[in-house]
Amino acid sequence: MAEIKQDSKTVQIAPIVGVGEFASKLGLPVTTVIAELMKNGVMATINEQIDFDTAAIIGTDLGYDVQPEPVEAAPAPKVTAKDDKAGESRPPVVAVMGHVDHGKTSLLDAIRSTDIATKEAGGITQHIGAYQIKRGERWITFLDTPGHEAFSAIRAHGAKLTDVAIIVVAADDGVKPQTKEAIRYAKEAGVQIVIAINKIDKEGADSNRVRQELGELELVPEEWGGKTVMVDVSAKAGQNIDKLLDMVLLVADIEDLRTVKDRPADGWIIESHVESGRGPTATVLIHNGTLNVGDYMAAGGTYVKIRSLSDYRGRRIKQATGGMPAVVTGFKAVPSFGDYFKEFENEKLARDFAVQNQRQDSIKSMVKVKKIEVSDLTDAISAGEVRELNVVIKADVQGSLESLQDSLKTLGNEEVAIRVVSQALGDVSESDINFAAASGALVLGFNVGISSAVKQLATRENVDVRLYKVIYELLDDMRAGLSQMLPPEIIETVVGKLKILGVFKTTKAFVVCGGEVTEGKVEPGLKVRISRAKEIIGTGTVDNVQKEKNQVKEAAKGEQCGMHIVTATPINIDDRLEFYKTEERKRSL
């Protein structure tokens, strides 16, 4: 890349800019810009759009300093000094995370069963993405959404949704890759961690071994002189659930969680859908302020004049405050999980906020890396009729890299498999693309980026680069791709059998013959195996079936019929025909 000249001009552009508009800002003929793009391997016309990275490279080569246009982004709520000292105490927001088989759901069920308030109210009547329980005189809010999804979506907005993460680890199984990932998500989100060592009543349970493994991940239990709260529980038996909740409240007290009620409300969307009779509906988790029926608020690219508010039990309420989940109806469209919402004085301000977010979303959708399509993966595989898929892995941290390698090893079977030909930390580089091109591999990136120049090299070398933020999406796509590699299962069904009694015409392409059906039936379209002296001598297809010179749909057992069989095998009297049909059944891992 050329260095920026000392007398270079500075221009500001949006994240996506048209080639013609870019040339105009540079004050250059559009042909000059197109020619420079072609030198860098980018084929674009005057009406096409390019991303900021590409424009910056071209601008630098042409002697310009290209800077991003300042954009007013939707601010995420931040705790201010006023919030720290003023306001009222609010319920802590808790997410439960951990390995898939370690009892997260059972633990949540056990926690729900301890809540007297919920029992008295007749239980939770609908799934809204969150619920609250009362421990003594205090409330705790639990997110009823996948923990990893919650952390990744909210962290993308630069905000903190949860205050405490309960990491569930099975006492008989220990720390698994998913456990490590959950701990990493919690640490990156900056939330307090409480470890629930579950299944302590199960055979083979060893809580001390789990504590040792967690200590190696820099989570040292309090009883060993560390700072991490760990509680031995049995979700199945309901053992120590109360103690776990007390520890959650104790850890939350250290944070001194507060909410300021006398200000416009803000927070996040934690679930949304279209409900029959109510339209677009969303569950919000309030951070600060008080939300009332009739208020205007905007979330993501949509806004609402609140038609109704409901609590986690489905009961109508007039207002909702900090730390509380509430169901809101009246949205113009369905907001997305993780969208930040904000209350406004009037409809115009709410609508303007939504429009601004729509613009940002459209820009992001144009520059984001495309999610892998199974058809693309299939094409890459089938080109060489291979049964092994080569991949190059790039990840942000060592824990992610190890989790990916371990998880990819479990995919496949004796017919298909994924082979990791290279793995490393950091963004996708030119050497990764060159290695992938030489080994015919896909490049899989997890929580990493790729520069414009490397993208261009990948395009020139026909290397597929796929970037992911959620490990399970990556694994699901790889599993789907491997399933496409599996040859289909051929299911054969014998329909009938016949003994040849006469042959009327024989050519190189077909035979006209007749006989008696000895088993099942004969019908047009069936495939045929021709046997002579118990040995298969040829195959064919039934073109039509006749009885008394009339074409029929079938001839059953005990009936005589004539047939037109498409085959190159001559048929003789006393030969035996077996009729069957086949179907292909897709296989999956």
Side-chain angles (χ1 to χ4, degrees):
M1 180 190 299
E3 293 185 1
I4 299 172
K5 299 175 183 177
Q6 290 185 351
D7 59 348
S8 63
K9 299 177 183 178
T10 300
V11 295
Q12 293 184 336
I13 64 169
I16 294 291
V17 64
V19 173
E21 180 187 354
F22 183 48
S24 177
K25 289 203 171 193
L26 296 178
L28 296 173
V30 70
T31 52
T32 302
V33 174
I34 291 175
E36 196 65 35
L37 283 165
M38 292 176 67
K39 287 181 185 177
N40 284 269
V42 179
M43 304 299 292
T45 64
I46 186 173
N47 295 319
E48 289 189 82
Q49 294 182 312
I50 55 176
D51 62 17
F52 175 82
D53 289 342
T54 303
I57 294 170
I58 301 305
T60 301
D61 290 345
L62 294 171
Y64 288 79
D65 181 12
V66 180
Q67 298 291 335
E69 207 173 65
V71 177
E72 181 184 350
K78 297 184 182 297
V79 177
T80 64
K82 176 186 175 185
D83 295 339
D84 283 338
K85 298 174 183 178
E88 303 176 12
S89 178
R90 68 167 175 82
V93 180
V94 181
V96 180
M97 308 165 69
H99 189 65
V100 66
D101 296 323
H102 284 190
K104 291 181 294 181
T105 303
S106 299
L107 182 61
L108 284 169
D109 289 342
I111 289 170
R112 281 194 186 97
S113 68
T114 66
D115 183 22
I116 297 174
T118 299
K119 291 179 181 177
E120 290 176 346
I124 300 171
T125 59
Q126 57 183 345
H127 176 77
I128 67 165
Y131 62 92
Q132 291 186 297
I133 69 158
K134 198 169 186 180
R135 176 69 177 155
E137 296 300 315
R138 301 180 62 183
W139 290 95
I140 305 174
T141 300
F142 280 88
L143 285 183
D144 199 12
T145 53
H148 294 48
E149 181 187 1
F151 277 112
S152 60
I154 300 303
R155 203 171 67 249
H157 289 66
K160 187 173 81 171
L161 173 64
T162 52
D163 305 303
V164 180
I166 296 178
I167 309 293
V168 184
V169 188
D172 64 328
D173 203 17
V175 173
K176 293 295 180 184
Q178 236 174 297
T179 314
K180 294 178 182 178
E181 187 180 52
I183 292 170
R184 179 172 66 82
Y185 270 108
K187 284 183 175 180
E188 289 178 355
V191 305
Q192 295 292 324
I193 294 175
V194 173
I195 303 294
I197 303 178
N198 193 23
K199 304 184 181 182
I200 57 172
D201 53 347
K202 195 172 180 180
E203 186 179 348
D206 188 346
S207 299
N208 286 330
R209 178 174 63 87
V210 174
R211 285 177 167 79
Q212 180 68 41
E213 291 176 351
L214 290 168
E216 295 171 2
L217 299 176
E218 300 180 354
L219 293 178
V220 181
E222 286 183 323
E223 55 266 39
W224 291 3
K227 296 182 179 180
T228 304
V229 175
M230 300 188 186
V231 182
D232 292 351
V233 302
S234 169
K236 185 177 180 181
Q239 185 178 348
N240 287 341
I241 302 300
D242 289 345
K243 182 180 178 181
L244 177 65
L245 296 176
D246 288 339
M247 289 298 102
V248 167
L249 288 171
L250 185 63
V251 167
D253 286 343
I254 298 172
E255 296 286 289
D256 190 22
L257 305 171
R258 294 187 174 274
T259 181
V260 180
K261 291 185 177 181
D262 57 345
R263 56 173 280 183
D266 60 22
W268 296 273
I269 304 294
I270 56 175
E271 189 168 275
S272 58
H273 61 280
V274 177
E275 189 171 321
S276 178
R278 302 176 78 186
T281 301
T283 303
V284 302
L285 183 64
I286 298 166
H287 176 258
N288 269 310
T290 301
L291 210 55
N292 299 279
V293 174
D295 286 348
Y296 290 98
M297 60 175 270
T302 185
Y303 68 99
V304 59
K305 180 179 181 181
I306 300 175
R307 188 184 304 149
S308 70
L309 283 171
S310 305
D311 68 6
Y312 72 100
R313 297 190 189 104
R315 301 181 305 184
R316 289 292 184 98
I317 54 176
K318 292 183 178 180
Q319 61 179 213
T321 56
M324 179 178 177
V327 179
V328 176
T329 65
F331 279 96
K332 301 295 181 183
V334 179
S336 300
F337 174 85
D339 279 348
Y340 166 61
F341 80 79
K342 187 176 179 181
E343 180 189 345
F344 292 90
E345 291 181 11
N346 55 54
E347 184 175 2
K348 181 181 183 303
L349 293 174
R351 183 171 58 246
D352 290 347
F353 182 87
V355 169
Q356 177 66 27
N357 284 331
Q358 284 178 351
R359 178 171 180 267
Q360 292 304 305
D361 289 343
S362 65
I363 289 170
K364 290 176 184 176
S365 67
M366 295 180 72
V367 299
K368 71 181 180 181
V369 178
K370 177 185 169 186
K371 185 176 181 289
I372 191 170
E373 298 291 341
V374 170
S375 58
D376 297 339
L377 185 58
T378 306
D379 292 341
I381 295 163
S382 60
E385 294 185 358
V386 295
R387 287 289 179 265
E388 196 170 55
L389 177 61
N390 292 340
V391 296
V392 171
I393 304 176
K394 297 301 294 285
D396 54 344
V397 294
Q398 190 63 36
S400 297
L401 195 63
E402 291 176 2
S403 295
L404 276 173
Q405 287 180 278
D406 292 342
S407 299
L408 289 173
K409 285 178 183 176
T410 65
L411 301 180
N413 55 21
E414 66 278 359
E415 296 177 78
V416 294
I418 288 178
R419 183 163 69 99
V420 179
V421 295
S422 173
Q423 72 278 331
L425 300 179
D427 290 345
V428 179
S429 64
E430 289 188 7
S431 60
D432 296 323
I433 301 301
N434 291 328
F435 190 87
S439 57
L442 289 172
V443 178
L444 305 178
F446 181 70
N447 277 336
V448 297
I450 181 172
S451 69
S452 179
V454 176
K455 279 185 191 177
Q456 293 169 16
L457 176 63
T459 301
R460 289 196 299 270
E461 297 294 335
N462 292 319
V463 172
D464 281 327
V465 180
R466 312 295 182 183
L467 303 188
Y468 294 84
K469 293 292 184 183
V470 181
I471 191 171
Y472 308 116
E473 289 183 1
L474 185 155
L475 296 177
D476 286 346
D477 288 343
M478 292 302 103
R479 187 179 293 107
L482 287 177
S483 294
Q484 292 286 337
M485 292 170 61
L486 292 169
E489 181 181 3
I490 306 299
I491 307 297
E492 180 182 296
T493 305
V494 175
V495 178
K497 295 181 180 180
L498 177 141
K499 178 182 178 182
I500 296 294
L501 301 178
V503 178
F504 311 113
K505 186 174 183 180
T506 300
T507 71
K508 292 181 179 180
F510 65 88
V511 175
V512 178
C513 58
E516 181 180 342
V517 182
T518 57
E519 289 184 28
K521 63 182 179 179
V522 181
E523 55 188 28
L526 292 176
K527 296 181 180 180
V528 183
R529 270 190 289 267
I530 306 165
S531 299
R532 185 174 299 155
K534 296 184 179 181
E535 181 181 346
I536 297 174
I537 60 171
T539 60
T541 305
V542 180
D543 188 40
N544 65 58
V545 179
Q546 295 185 356
K547 287 195 292 187
E548 298 179 355
K549 298 184 178 181
N550 295 317
Q551 288 195 18
V552 294
K553 292 183 178 180
E554 65 175 42
K557 178 180 178 180
E559 294 182 333
Q560 292 188 0
C561 64
M563 295 167 295
H564 186 286
I565 298 177
V566 178
T567 180
T569 303
I571 296 176
N572 295 337
I573 294 175
D574 289 333
D575 284 349
R576 304 283 175 161
L577 305 187
E578 183 178 59
F579 305 94
Y580 65 97
K581 57 184 177 182
T582 61
E583 61 176 321
E584 291 187 356
R585 184 177 297 170
K586 288 185 178 180
R587 300 164 63 199
S588 59
L589 293 173

